[in-house]
Amino acid sequence: RKEVEQDPGPFNVPEGATVAFNCTYSNSASQSFFWYRQDCRKEPKLLMSVYSSGNEDGRFTAQLNRASQYISLLIRDSKLSDSATYLCVVPRWDSSASKIIFGSGTRLSIRP
Amino acid sequence: GAVVSQHPSWVICKSGTSVKIECRSLDFQATTMFWYRQFPKQSLMLMATSNEGSKATYEQGVEKDKFLINHASLTLSTLTVTSAHPEDSSFYICSARDIAGGDNSPLHFGNGTRLTVT
């Protein structure tokens, strides 16, 4: 099982729709989680941090389910500018190594 | 917000030459920096973890003698691609975490370096 797995996508939804992605992780000791968005040929940009059960920022809501070891990202009233690849990030800060593991990303395309 | 500066943004080099990429944290200190590589339409793959004052930790399959990492200070890490070949052409991105932010602080990314080896 991969350390971090995401919905494969691509998601193609109309403007104004609500869309949700999931990300599962294997390390039960993980404490913090992040969603990044990456535009084509650009570096990832932090979208949301998820520390406890969830976090909401405007149209974006991230939820964490520790029992099932997944985090989700919900985008409401989607805009054309939301088209990007969304990356789930799970840091692993253990004694042997500090690593930041990325999911493979979910591509989202918003159509007019 | 925290800024990570990566230089150069793009470079074209001939096969067999070496290329150095710099990653600087501009307004915070980072004991650990991460180097990623991303091929077209693929996700970021962690290459190595750069540790200030000690040896880098490489991921499985990444040649440490080919990808030399030096983390000489709390604000600078460099990645040198030695004897570059066309298959090394990729998008290289560094990232860093503010040591003052604790274990739950997010990563800050450089703007990436697009390497093309001819």
Side-chain angles (χ1 to χ4, degrees), chain A residues 11-21 58-61 72-79 82 108-111:
Chain A
F11 287 70
N12 188 315
V13 301
E15 194 174 6
T18 295
V19 61
F21 316 132
R59 298 183 294 108
F60 298 85
T61 300
S72 62
L73 177 67
L74 179 78
I75 305 175
R76 290 180 296 276
D77 187 25
S78 54
K79 311 291 184 189
D82 294 333
L108 172 65
S109 178
I110 308 297
R111 62 179 186 271

Side-chain angles (χ1 to χ4, degrees), chain A residues 36 38 43 51 93 99-100 103, chain B residues 36 38 43 103-104 107 110:
Chain A
Y36 282 76
Q38 185 178 26
E43 76 278 15
Y51 299 132
W93 312 108
K99 294 185 178 182
I100 307 293
Chain B
Y36 292 85
Q38 187 175 35
S43 186
D103 289 348
N104 290 327
L107 283 182

Side-chain angles (χ1 to χ4, degrees), chain B residues 103-116:
Chain B
D103 289 348
N104 290 327
S105 60
L107 283 182
H108 303 284
F109 284 88
N111 56 357
T113 297
R114 193 160 301 281
L115 170 64
T116 302

Side-chain angles (χ1 to χ4, degrees), chain B residues 4-5 8 14 23 26 32 41 44 52 79 93 99 102 105 111:
Chain B
V4 174
S5 173
K14 291 185 177 181
C23 181
L26 296 185
T32 304
K41 298 187 178 182
L44 283 81
E52 187 269 336
L79 168 69
I93 310 176
I99 60 175
S105 60
N111 56 357

